[in-house]
């Protein structure tokens, strides 16, 4: 079945770039997403990329997609304390199910 | 504010009981998704409805059921509750299904505690 994997934790110094990685198994994925969850809150859509794109940039966020390796990454430039959250990778297959990874907890070091 | 409304925000109930979680999607959105978030299982897809019809099914237990009404709001019914059902239940909505439905928006979730 479909599966989305991501590392559980990432620590980054304030001002550095954060790179959160994700792998997925469904080769028929149509869209891939990054969501952010702050403590006690719901999931906020950060960005998404269509499966025929390689890269998408939106201000401090850069998404890279390697469809051959089924690898997705999210780069956050100039990481700030407000970026501290759990980041979820998700993929949408042709059956419309949207499957999420377990989330990567990003911790910002001073 | 995503525009997706979930009620109740918090709920405490006893084992064996039944609860109903309610979701109002964003105005105009036809598709509703339900997810369960627990510490050990992460965010699990339960079920999706599109314009009143079940569209996709995930890891939803037989004790759980859902429906989407003509006004597009949705309810998730959880019965014979067990301690392990304690979790945060999210509803999400998107404008349409198929290749054009490219984003989903989440509500703030309903915290269920089973004691």
């Amino acid at each position: 079945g479909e599966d989305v994997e991501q590392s559980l934790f990432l620590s980054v110094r304030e001002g550095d770039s954060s790179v959160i990685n994700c792998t997925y198994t469904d080769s028929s994925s149509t869209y891939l997403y990054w969501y952010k969850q702050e403590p006690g809150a719901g999931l906020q859509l950060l960005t998404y990329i269509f499966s025929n794109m390689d890269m998408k940039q939106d201000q401090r966020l850069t998404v890279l997609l390697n469809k051959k390796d089924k690898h997705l990454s999210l780069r956050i430039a100039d990481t700030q304390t407000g970026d501290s959250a759990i980041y979820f990778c998700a993929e949408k297959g042709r059956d419309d199910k949207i499957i999420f990874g377990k989330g990567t907890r990003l911790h910002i070091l001073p | 504010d995503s525009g997706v409304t979930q009620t109740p925000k918090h709920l405490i109930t006893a084992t064996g009981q039944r609860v109903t979680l309610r979701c109002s999607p964003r105005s105009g959105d036809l598709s509703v998704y339900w997810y369960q978030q627990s510490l050990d299982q992460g965010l699990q897809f339960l079920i999706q409805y599109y314009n009143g019809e079940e569209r996709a099914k995930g890891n939803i237990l037989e004790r759980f059921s859902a429906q989407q009404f003509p006004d597009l709001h949705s309810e998730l019914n959880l019965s014979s509750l067990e301690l392990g059902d304690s979790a945060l239940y999210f509803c999400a909505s998107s404008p349409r299904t198929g290749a054009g439905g490219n984003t989903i928006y989440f509500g703030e979730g309903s915290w269920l505690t089973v004691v």
Side-chain angles (χ1 to χ4, degrees):
Chain A
E2 311 96 337
D3 195 19
V4 177
E5 303 248 346
Q6 42 183 138
S7 53
L8 295 181
F9 298 100
L10 177 66
S11 290
V12 174
R13 293 211 175 272
E14 189 175 358
D16 287 352
S17 291
S18 305
V19 180
I20 304 171
N21 293 301
C22 167
T23 57
Y24 59 98
T25 57
D26 187 357
S27 57
S28 66
S29 291
T30 54
Y31 290 91
L32 295 120
Y33 307 86
W34 284 104
Y35 281 83
K36 176 183 181 183
Q37 185 181 30
E38 296 184 21
L43 275 73
Q44 172 196 356
L45 176 66
L46 283 179
T47 187
Y48 67 93
I49 188 168
F50 189 44
S51 59
N52 68 354
M53 296 170 63
D54 298 323
M55 187 182 87
K56 181 177 180 180
Q57 188 153 4
D58 184 2
Q59 299 182 340
R60 292 192 298 123
L61 304 179
T62 303
V63 178
L64 295 177
L65 174 60
N66 181 328
K67 198 171 179 182
K68 175 176 166 291
D69 294 339
K70 299 191 190 71
H71 181 267
L72 183 74
S73 68
L74 173 70
R75 178 176 178 269
I76 306 172
D78 186 23
T79 308
Q80 303 297 308
T81 54
D83 295 324
S84 182
I86 302 175
Y87 291 82
F88 290 90
C89 168
E91 62 94 13
K92 183 177 188 179
R94 293 197 187 282
D95 59 0
D96 273 354
K97 283 195 289 188
I98 299 179
I99 305 299
F100 284 78
K102 291 195 173 183
T104 299
R105 187 177 295 274
L106 177 62
H107 178 62
I108 313 303
L109 302 167
Chain B
D1 182 6
S2 67
V4 179
T5 304
Q6 291 187 246
T7 56
K9 289 197 185 328
H10 300 272
L11 187 58
I12 301 175
T13 190
T15 54
Q17 294 298 304
R18 172 191 166 94
V19 298
T20 298
L21 308 180
R22 194 177 191 278
C23 170
S24 294
R26 294 185 329 149
S27 177
D29 282 2
L30 298 178
S31 220
V32 167
Y33 302 76
W34 286 98
Y35 287 85
Q36 179 194 57
Q37 186 179 30
S38 58
L39 282 174
D40 56 340
Q41 293 292 322
L43 200 63
Q44 295 282 315
F45 169 70
L46 296 178
I47 198 163
Q48 180 205 355
Y49 280 83
Y50 176 75
N51 203 20
E53 300 288 326
E54 183 182 302
R55 171 74 179 162
K57 209 165 188 175
N59 301 322
I60 188 166
L61 299 172
E62 284 192 13
R63 300 184 285 109
F64 296 179
S65 64
Q67 55 183 324
Q68 186 179 27
F69 295 88
D71 67 353
L72 302 176
H73 90 271
S74 178
E75 292 180 355
L76 178 67
N77 300 296
L78 315 173
S79 62
S80 302
L81 284 167
E82 302 174 1
L83 295 178
D85 297 327
S86 296
L88 182 56
Y89 291 84
F90 282 111
C91 172
S93 74
S94 74
R96 51 190 169 147
T97 190
N102 57 351
T103 55
I104 66 171
Y105 298 89
F106 280 78
E108 296 203 347
S110 291
W111 276 102
L112 173 65
T113 303
V114 182
V115 296

